[in-house]
Amino acid sequence: MRPPLPPLDTRIDRFDLAVGTAAEFLRSAWPELRAISFEIADMPSAPGADGIPRWLVLGPEKRIILFRLPIERLAHLHRDDELHRRMIVEGAVFRAAAEYLDRDPWDLGPERFRFF
């Protein structure tokens, strides 16, 4: 009998989990986002005017598409660990949702970022 193996935990799984939890938080806090589909794609089809986009907001279709590879690989982490990688992903979800709502990202979860 083999010893039990730990569950597989890939970079893609961690990215999906971070997007899913951030999207659920935003949906619970903002009724305007409850019908929005948060989707994940590997790469955008073409670079944008400002370079490689991290997300695409399709307002009329009620879709937000987050591009995994640009978010993960073009991030400038000052510390390369699991916490900071997750913060980069959650930040992208918040910024994409803020773009959809035409608001500042800090307005989406002000209580979440108050530590005093």
Side-chain angles (χ1 to χ4, degrees):
M1 204 169 208
R2 286 189 246 169
L5 297 174
L8 293 177
D9 184 31
T10 65
R11 207 173 45 224
I12 295 170
D13 293 334
R14 289 188 299 269
F15 187 90
D16 290 349
L17 180 64
V19 169
T21 55
E24 286 307 311
F25 171 80
L26 290 169
R27 283 186 184 123
S28 68
W30 292 89
E32 300 96 320
L33 295 174
R34 290 192 181 131
I36 300 302
S37 171
F38 287 86
E39 302 171 13
I40 299 171
D42 287 333
M43 284 289 292
S45 58
D50 298 328
I52 299 172
R54 288 1 179 228
W55 59 82
L56 177 63
V57 174
L58 302 169
E61 298 175 25
K62 297 188 176 196
R63 293 172 58 200
I64 295 174
I65 303 170
L66 295 135
F67 300 115
R68 184 179 60 82
L69 293 174
I71 292 171
E72 287 181 337
R73 296 195 178 161
L74 299 178
H76 301 289
L77 299 172
H78 66 281
R79 181 174 290 168
D80 191 11
D81 62 5
E82 187 58 38
L83 173 65
H84 288 84
R85 284 189 296 269
R86 184 177 177 111
M87 288 171 56
I88 288 293
V89 175
E90 289 178 350
V93 175
F94 270 72
R95 289 192 309 269
E99 183 179 321
Y100 177 83
L101 294 172
D102 195 26
R103 298 180 74 93
D104 187 78
W106 291 102
D107 292 341
L108 299 185
E111 295 302 318
R112 185 175 188 183
F113 300 105
R114 262 191 215 137
F115 299 112
F116 53 89

